[in-house]
Amino acid sequence: MKIALVGIGKIALDQHVPAIAASPDWELAATVSRKGRVDGIESHADFASFLAARPDVGVVSLTMPPAPRFAFAEAALRAGRHVMLEKPPGATLAEVHELAALAAARGLTLFATWHSRMALAVAPARAWLRGRTITRAHVTWREDVRRWHPGQDWVFEPGGMGVFDPGINALSILTEILPAPVHLTGATLTYPENCHTPIAAELTFSGGITADFDWRQQGPQTWDIDIHTDAGHLALRMGGNRLLIDGVESAGENSIMGEYPALYARMAQLVKTGTSDVDLAPLTHVADAMTLGRRVIVPPFHL
Ligand code: NAP
């Protein structure tokens, strides 16, 4: 199937282009980006012109930041194309609900991807937790924004999500593996005085679950989830790629695919079966944190 990548920047070049190139399902037919290009691939600067010029490209994958993504997704669906959304799927819940309704009304596939759910140890963790009772859990997601997002000022603009840009990856794993849903009950959000989005967040959920996100971590980076149950301690390390049960490394039924190849395989399956996959649980927790969060102001921060 022919696919176009829209918004050629860091993640498109790091992950999407190699995943599509390695896939038996997909042919990268075109790119759409104001400046970004992929060597050897037809490129368009304007999305409306692309849609008019290439009716044969039935699928688009939108890899620009979340704030501008809705307009592209809506135009693509109205032009009869299936749509794949990078995470977070949109700047607000309402806009993604609208896209899901539009896709359903037109019989098109909408896939709100969560790449971290495809990490190697996530499916085994979910299987291990099934039927167990969770007594408490803690998420620690601490990384250095200057290292991972150099020059990407949009993360601190409205709709850029701030520390929830990585934190929503943890929430996507948590909501995938917990045997029952939880809801946010409180949050403390730390805003540099020159930023519109938080640089750190402490979250409390029902069921004894807490989370600590911080984008100011120097040195070793931490992407850990610890879940205590009535029958042992589950630890996910390295962003869902390692699983330890009571301190012992567990291979489980690991996926053999990388995160992005697995997303593209799933998109192929969704298109072939005429279905959509839009789970907004991770974004709901972020929206709730913004609703309930207490604000702490700290000195200015510059990327
Ligand atoms: P990025 O490099 O800053 O942006 C990607 C491209 O989007 C830009 O190069 C730009 O291309 C286009 N773009 C930026 N602002 C735009 C606007 N207002 N309107 C239209 N196009 C715009 O960002 P990224 O790091 O790739 O992240 C993009 C998405 O992927 C985010 O949702 C992020 O959470 C997700 N993601 C990122 C990473 C990562 O490691 N960076 C990992 C996983 C997921 P042109 O200027 O050429 O139009």
Side-chain angles (χ1 to χ4, degrees):
M1 289 178 278
K2 290 180 187 169
I3 192 167
L5 269 179
V6 188
I8 304 301
K10 186 171 188 310
I11 198 63
L13 296 172
D14 285 358
Q15 297 290 346
H16 291 257
V17 171
I20 292 169
S23 167
D25 298 308
W26 299 106
E27 173 198 337
L28 182 56
T31 62
V32 188
S33 215
R34 297 162 304 184
K35 297 190 293 284
R37 301 276 182 278
V38 175
D39 283 348
I41 304 295
E42 175 185 311
S43 70
H44 297 255
D46 177 69
F47 194 51
S49 314
F50 156 76
L51 290 171
R54 294 299 304 267
D56 59 311
V57 180
V59 183
V60 298
S61 179
L62 306 182
T63 58
M64 72 287 291
R69 201 178 297 130
F70 173 82
F72 289 86
E74 184 190 32
L77 291 168
R78 290 197 185 284
R81 316 303 162 90
H82 305 287
V83 174
M84 188 166 162
L85 304 169
E86 249 295 356
K87 50 65 50 172
T92 70
L93 287 163
E95 65 181 41
V96 192
H97 283 300
E98 204 174 312
L99 294 176
L102 185 59
R106 297 190 173 228
L108 295 165
T109 292
L110 182 68
F111 182 19
T113 67
W114 298 109
H115 67 85
S116 290
R117 286 185 174 175
M118 301 299 189
L120 295 177
V122 171
R126 176 189 165 96
W128 190 85
L129 285 171
R130 199 170 301 138
R132 289 186 159 87
T133 301
I134 290 164
T135 51
R136 64 191 161 90
H138 186 68
V139 178
T140 313
W141 225 252
R142 292 174 156 256
E143 59 176 62
D144 180 356
V145 62
R146 291 191 175 108
R147 177 163 156 196
W148 301 104
H149 298 276
Q152 294 183 343
D153 294 327
W154 60 264
V155 299
F156 290 121
E157 293 297 321
M161 309 265 166
V163 75
F164 290 110
D165 179 79
I168 204 167
N169 296 335
L171 296 176
S172 75
I173 295 175
L174 194 68
T175 49
E176 175 77 0
I177 66 177
L178 289 181
V182 295
H183 64 274
L184 189 120
T185 57
T188 301
L189 308 177
T190 299
Y191 289 80
E193 64 182 29
N194 61 331
C195 297
H196 293 285
T197 59
I199 198 164
E202 288 172 24
L203 310 179
T204 307
F205 298 87
S206 56
I209 297 172
T210 51
D212 161 20
F213 302 158
D214 202 316
W215 236 354
R216 297 166 296 188
Q217 171 131 319
Q218 315 266 304
Q221 309 285 285
T222 311
W223 299 289
D224 293 349
I225 298 178
D226 287 279
I227 301 182
H228 298 268
T229 76
D230 57 342
H233 167 214
L234 176 147
L236 281 172
R237 298 286 179 262
M238 294 173 59
N241 282 295
R242 284 182 59 205
L243 173 64
L244 294 95
I245 303 295
D246 293 328
V248 178
E249 192 90 34
S250 164
E253 295 298 315
N254 281 353
S255 154
I256 50 165
M257 254 189 208
E259 295 178 14
Y260 281 83
L263 290 180
Y264 277 96
R266 172 99 177 113
M267 182 64 181
Q269 182 193 36
L270 291 171
V271 171
K272 283 176 194 159
T273 55
T275 47
S276 287
D277 180 348
V278 183
D279 177 11
L280 294 179
L283 188 57
T284 301
H285 291 316
V286 174
D288 286 358
M290 300 294 196
T291 304
L292 290 181
R294 289 175 186 280
R295 174 187 290 250
V296 175
I297 303 293
V298 294
F301 184 89
H302 298 281
L303 281 172

